């Protein structure tokens, strides 16, 4: 029996220590019975004295009342994605770029866990928030769920503000148990442990997350004031504060030792209790990291050295023909189920029928299937020596599997031309709402299919007449969700014209081409002929023909969307500028956001390229520019630093 607050604090401290040894170190210092007795004593005291409850009490890890939705949370520092290297040659090239600037560089090497990234923010020693990676700048706030994970300390003995980043994972054994339970409950199965971890973190009901045996394994920092210059030493400091001890972390001082450690970890891959998909190689010095900086997408001071794709043998049972938004038919092999890296693989893409013919893949063939990380499983080749004579040639379809219309055979592509085909309509709406198109938050594939199957939408136009009351009748829709979806759709009005062009899903017309059309012709782009479109830099006959044909065939649809959305006619006449019609390459770490500089250049008719050649007019350099700068110097291309660029840009033409 706990009699006073002092006793209560001591009991919470002891209970926390017991939980740490049990859940994190896997080295129990008390029996289950002893833990349960002390836990209930603490809980009883808290029920009688709710104002004295410590936020670090293990009782606070239980699931809270379900949320209606996740709030957004901006990270203090951006969460970057790592560039991948896939073999020793690529690793050598990556390391040489580091050694060129820092011959004495050393590297912290650690396993790359396959789970869901999480950013923990501690303020004055207390866990203030936990957020998913999201787009790297902003994620979803999942603090309630994070608090249910025993290996995430609710308090740490470090009182400066700090972001601790890591991976939420689940063991292969616990993953199997979850799927067995879901199977018994008639629920859909998780594809692999990574999906199970990610799905568990995004539960609106944290009580469900609490039942899953999740672990948080730190791998880095965002905002911090750690004094050590060594990443390795800083990680050891953090781990000593009560986090899960990260296995297999080692400092390597040269290429040979990095490769040797990679091979050592790879041997553990199959038998290790959690999914590993590679090794992270990180420059150890924070000062060197800061100097090396970042590209648009990733840090220059770290990479993910991925394990080779796992190959398995299985049998083709049948072929399913999928219809995409542009009408292209993609053959998909239905396979005898096979496990690859913890995921049960039942399907693999065959790309197209020319590919099937070229590889001589047949029905009932035994085949080699690979899957690496997030890559869609694909068939490499048939095992001809296993053929029995029962195998049959796979023949291309002549009619659409969805609408039964006759198909058009166009070189390697087989296409359904029926714009009203159900499969095309669904996929076109999904694309219309996607991030690089109209970016309609909350309108993913599952919701699109739900709306379509409920007869609420039959085309993108129907999105703009969705009824609030009808949405509330759908499974999973409550007032907040319905309201948010309608607001997201309404917010697409007055978007940039290029987004609408890209959202239409016109074959061969992607983001770059959409911007070029909008900048060059404005709203009149849909009225241009093939010759006028071909006149644009970078447009070939196939692109021009595709755009003009789409505009003619779907004239009514386009006019209705223009009327509903009233998109911004951003550039009808481009201003002449020093950089107009020039070809530009950006390299190095720039002070201003790279996207801003690219937009400035494109808005005055410049073309931004990724590679340096003799046809490039200018290379704009930031700090720590590498091989692109060297190549520009060798070719005699004019080089500008960032200040010079802005000075020239602001000149009168």
């Amino acid at each position: 029996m706990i009699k006073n607050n002092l006793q209560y604090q001591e009991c919470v401290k002891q209970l926390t220590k017991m939980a740490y040894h049990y859940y994190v170190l896997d080295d129990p210092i008390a029996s289950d019975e002893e833990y349960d007795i002390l836990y209930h004593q603490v809980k009883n005291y808290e029920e009688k004295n709710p104002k004295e409850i410590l936020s670090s009490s293990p009782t606070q890890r239980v699931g809270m009342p379900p949320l209606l939705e996740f709030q957004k949370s901006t990270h203090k520092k951006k969460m970057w994605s790592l560039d991948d290297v896939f073999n020793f040659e690529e690793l050598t090239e990556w390391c040489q770029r580091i050694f060129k600037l820092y011959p004495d560089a050393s590297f912290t090497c650690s396993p790359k866990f396959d789970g869901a990234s999480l950013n923990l923010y501690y303020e004055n020693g207390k866990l203030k928030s936990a957020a998913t990676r999201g787009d790297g700048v902003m994620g979803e706030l999942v603090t309630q769920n994070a608090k249910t994970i025993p290996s995430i300390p609710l308090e740490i003995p470090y009182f400066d503000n700090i972001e601790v980043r890591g991976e939420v994972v689940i063991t292969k054994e616990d993953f199997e148990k979850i799927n067995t339970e879901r199977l018994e409950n008639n629920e859909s199965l998780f594809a692999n442990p990574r999906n199970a971890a990610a799905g568990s973190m995004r539960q609106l009901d944290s009580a469900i997350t609490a039942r899953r045996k999740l672990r948080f394994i730190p791998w880095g920092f965002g905002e911090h004031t750690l004094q050590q210059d060594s990443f390795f030493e800083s990680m050891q400091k953090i781990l000593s504060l009560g986090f899960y001890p990260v296995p297999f972390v080692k400092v390597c001082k040269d290429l040979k030792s990095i490769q040797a450690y990679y091979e050592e970890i790879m041997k553990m891959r199959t038998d290790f209790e959690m999914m590993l998909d590679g090794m992270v190689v990180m420059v150890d010095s924070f000062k060197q990291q800061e100097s090396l900086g970042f590209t648009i997408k990733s840090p220059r001071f770290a990479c993910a050295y991925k394990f080779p794709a796992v190959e398995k043998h299985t049998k083709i049972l049948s072929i399913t023909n999928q219809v995409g938004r542009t009408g292209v038919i993609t053959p998909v092999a239905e396979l005898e189920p096979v496990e690859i890296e913890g995921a049960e693989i039942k399907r693999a893409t065959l790309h197209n029928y020319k590919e099937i013919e070229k590889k001589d893949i047949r029905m009932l063939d035994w085949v080699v299937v690979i899957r690496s990380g997030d890559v869609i499983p694909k068939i490499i080749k048939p095992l001809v020596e296993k053929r029995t004579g029962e195998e049959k040639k796979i023949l291309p379809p002549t009619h659409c599997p969805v609408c039964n219309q006759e198909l058009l055979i166009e070189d390697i592509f087989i296409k359904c031309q029926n714009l009203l085909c159900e499969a095309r309509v669904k996929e076109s709406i999904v694309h219309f709402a996607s991030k690089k198109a109209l970016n309609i938050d909350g309108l993913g594939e599952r919701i699109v299919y739900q709306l379509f199957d409920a007869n609420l939408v039959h085309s993108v136009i129907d999105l703009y007449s969705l009824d609030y009351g009808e949405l509330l009748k759908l499974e999973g829709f409550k007032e907040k969700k319905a309201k948010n979806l309608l607001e997201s759709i309404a917010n697409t009005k007055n978007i940039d014209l290029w987004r609408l062009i890209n959202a239409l899903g016109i074959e061969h017309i992607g983001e770059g081409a959409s911007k070029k059309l909008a900048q060059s012709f404005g709203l009149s782009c849909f009225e241009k002929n093939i010759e006028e479109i071909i006149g644009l830099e970078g447009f070939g006959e196939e692109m021009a023909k595709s755009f003009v044909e789409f505009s003619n065939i779907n004239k009514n649809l386009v006019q209705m969307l223009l009327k509903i959305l009233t998109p911004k006619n951003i550039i009808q006449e481009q201003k002449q500028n020093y950089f107009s019609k020039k070809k530009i390459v950006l390299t190095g770490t720039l002070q201003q956001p790279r996207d801003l500089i690219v937009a400035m250049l494109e808005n005055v008719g410049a073309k931004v390229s990724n590679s340096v050649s003799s046809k490039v007019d200018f290379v704009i350099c930031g700090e720590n520019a590498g091989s692109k700068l060297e190549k520009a110097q060798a070719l005699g291309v004019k080089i500008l630093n960032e200040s010079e660029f802005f000075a020239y840009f602001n000149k009168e033409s």
Side-chain angles (χ1 to χ4, degrees), residues 323 400 402-403 416 418-428 449 452-453 458:
V323 186
C400 175
V402 177
C403 69
C416 172
N418 178 16
L419 290 174
L420 299 178
C421 175
E422 181 179 316
R424 291 195 64 175
V425 172
K426 284 182 179 178
E427 293 304 317
S428 68
Y449 280 37
F452 191 94
D453 294 340
H458 298 93

Side-chain angles (χ1 to χ4, degrees), residues 2 14 54-55 87 96 158 175 208 233 248 270 362 371 393 421 427 455 526 556 564 621:
I2 301 174
Q14 180 63 18
L54 295 173
S55 61
N87 52 53
Q96 290 305 331
Y158 180 87
F175 166 70
I208 296 175
E233 290 175 10
F248 320 133
T270 304
R362 304 180 186 183
R371 176 182 179 271
K393 283 194 173 291
C421 175
E427 293 304 317
N455 289 317
F526 298 106
N556 291 338
I564 292 169
C621 282

Side-chain angles (χ1 to χ4, degrees), residues 445-594:
E445 182 179 83
R446 186 177 64 81
I447 300 299
V448 169
Y449 280 37
Q450 187 179 15
L451 295 174
F452 191 94
D453 294 340
N455 289 317
L456 296 183
V457 297
H458 298 93
S459 76
V460 294
I461 297 292
D462 295 333
L463 294 173
Y464 296 93
S465 57
L466 280 173
D467 180 71
Y468 176 74
E470 291 297 323
L471 288 177
L472 292 180
K473 296 177 184 177
L474 299 178
E475 183 181 353
F477 271 84
K478 292 185 178 179
E479 290 85 352
K480 186 76 172 174
K481 185 174 180 178
K483 184 181 177 184
N484 286 347
L485 177 57
L486 292 175
E487 283 181 358
S488 294
I489 293 170
N491 288 340
T492 61
K493 295 182 180 181
N494 304 121
I495 43 89
D496 290 336
L497 175 60
W498 75 264
R499 285 190 170 275
L500 173 58
I501 298 172
N502 195 35
L504 294 171
I506 305 168
E507 198 165 3
H508 308 306
I509 305 297
E511 181 184 347
S514 298
K515 287 180 178 178
K516 192 74 175 177
L517 286 161
Q519 290 167 350
S520 303
F521 301 124
L523 293 173
S524 67
C525 65
F526 298 106
E527 300 165 12
K528 300 299 179 183
N529 58 39
I530 291 176
E531 288 72 24
E532 289 172 299
I533 302 294
I534 288 177
L536 296 177
E537 185 182 1
F539 275 71
E541 185 175 348
E542 194 172 25
M543 291 174 68
K545 186 178 178 182
S546 178
F547 181 77
V548 172
E549 281 186 357
F550 181 93
S551 300
N552 290 336
I553 293 171
N554 299 282
K555 190 172 183 178
N556 291 338
L557 171 68
V558 170
Q559 291 304 315
M560 288 174 72
L561 285 171
L562 289 174
K563 187 175 180 180
I564 292 169
L565 296 175
T566 58
K568 296 175 193 171
N569 194 4
I570 47 175
I571 293 183
Q572 291 176 310
E573 292 183 18
Q574 290 175 343
K575 294 179 181 178
Q576 288 304 302
N577 182 278
Y578 185 78
F579 296 102
S580 294
K581 299 184 180 178
K582 297 293 194 293
K583 192 171 184 179
I584 317 284
V585 170
L586 307 179
T587 185
T589 305
L590 300 164
Q591 296 299 310
Q592 293 296 320
R594 190 173 292 234

Side-chain angles (χ1 to χ4, degrees), residues 185-199:
N185 294 334
N186 235 4
E187 297 174 307
S188 60
L189 303 184
F190 288 117
N192 51 48
R194 174 169 48 83
N195 285 356

Side-chain angles (χ1 to χ4, degrees), residues 275-316:
M275 296 288 294
L276 305 177
D277 65 352
M279 184 175 83
V280 175
V281 184
M282 173 96 66
V283 172
D284 188 57
S285 165
F286 281 128
K287 289 178 183 175
Q288 291 176 358
Q289 286 185 14
E290 186 176 353
S291 175
L292 288 163
F294 302 84
T295 66
I296 296 175
K297 297 179 181 177
S298 56
R300 290 192 175 91
F301 52 80
C303 69
Y305 191 4
K306 301 300 284 286
F307 290 146
V310 176
E311 292 188 0
K312 288 289 182 76
H313 296 175
T314 187
K315 194 175 186 179
I316 296 178

Side-chain angles (χ1 to χ4, degrees), residues 21 141 152 177 199 288 319 353 355 398 443 471 502 551 576 607:
H21 276 263
L141 207 58
I152 293 180
K177 288 177 181 176
Q288 291 176 358
I319 301 295
Y353 279 89
E355 186 82 0
T398 57
L443 191 59
L471 288 177
N502 195 35
S551 300
Q576 288 304 302
K607 181 178 180 181

Side-chain angles (χ1 to χ4, degrees), residues 127-320:
L127 178 64
K128 296 293 289 184
S129 67
T132 61
R133 179 194 294 274
D135 63 2
V137 176
M138 182 181 292
E140 290 181 317
L141 207 58
V142 292
T143 313
Q144 283 189 192
N145 292 342
K147 285 183 175 180
T148 70
I149 300 175
S151 51
I152 293 180
L154 301 178
E155 289 188 4
I156 57 176
Y158 180 87
F159 301 102
D160 286 349
N161 296 348
I162 188 169
E163 287 178 304
V164 179
R165 285 156 179 184
E167 209 76 1
V168 175
V169 298
I170 191 167
T171 66
K172 297 172 186 174
E173 182 182 354
D174 288 329
F175 166 70
E176 292 298 333
K177 288 177 181 176
I178 289 173
N179 263 355
T180 299
E181 183 181 313
R182 291 176 72 85
L183 189 63
E184 290 171 354
N185 294 334
N186 235 4
E187 297 174 307
S188 60
L189 303 184
F190 288 117
N192 51 48
R194 174 169 48 83
N195 285 356
S200 300
M201 286 311 300
R202 296 196 73 258
Q203 288 290 335
L204 292 171
D205 185 353
S206 59
I208 296 175
T209 309
R211 292 198 294 269
R212 310 255 169 92
K213 294 185 178 179
L214 302 176
R215 301 185 194 185
F216 175 80
I217 303 180
W219 48 247
F221 312 98
E223 180 181 276
H224 69 89
T225 56
L226 296 165
Q227 298 303 308
Q228 299 92 336
D229 183 46
S230 165
F231 176 81
F232 177 82
E233 290 175 10
S234 298
M235 281 301 296
Q236 301 314 303
K237 163 77 172 173
I238 287 299
L239 297 178
S240 72
L241 303 178
F243 289 95
Y244 191 90
V246 183
F248 320 133
V249 182
K250 183 177 181 179
V251 176
C252 297
K253 296 189 177 296
D254 55 38
L255 192 59
K256 186 177 178 181
S257 60
I258 293 173
Q259 180 65 21
Y261 200 52
Y262 169 80
E263 291 172 4
E264 186 179 330
I265 292 179
M266 189 161 58
K267 287 177 184 175
M268 307 173 189
R269 175 189 193 183
T270 304
D271 297 328
F272 192 65
E273 61 178 341
M274 287 167 280
M275 296 288 294
L276 305 177
D277 65 352
M279 184 175 83
V280 175
V281 184
M282 173 96 66
V283 172
D284 188 57
S285 165
F286 281 128
K287 289 178 183 175
Q288 291 176 358
Q289 286 185 14
E290 186 176 353
S291 175
L292 288 163
F294 302 84
T295 66
I296 296 175
K297 297 179 181 177
S298 56
R300 290 192 175 91
F301 52 80
C303 69
Y305 191 4
K306 301 300 284 286
F307 290 146
V310 176
E311 292 188 0
K312 288 289 182 76
H313 296 175
T314 187
K315 194 175 186 179
I316 296 178
L317 303 178
S318 62
I319 301 295
T320 297

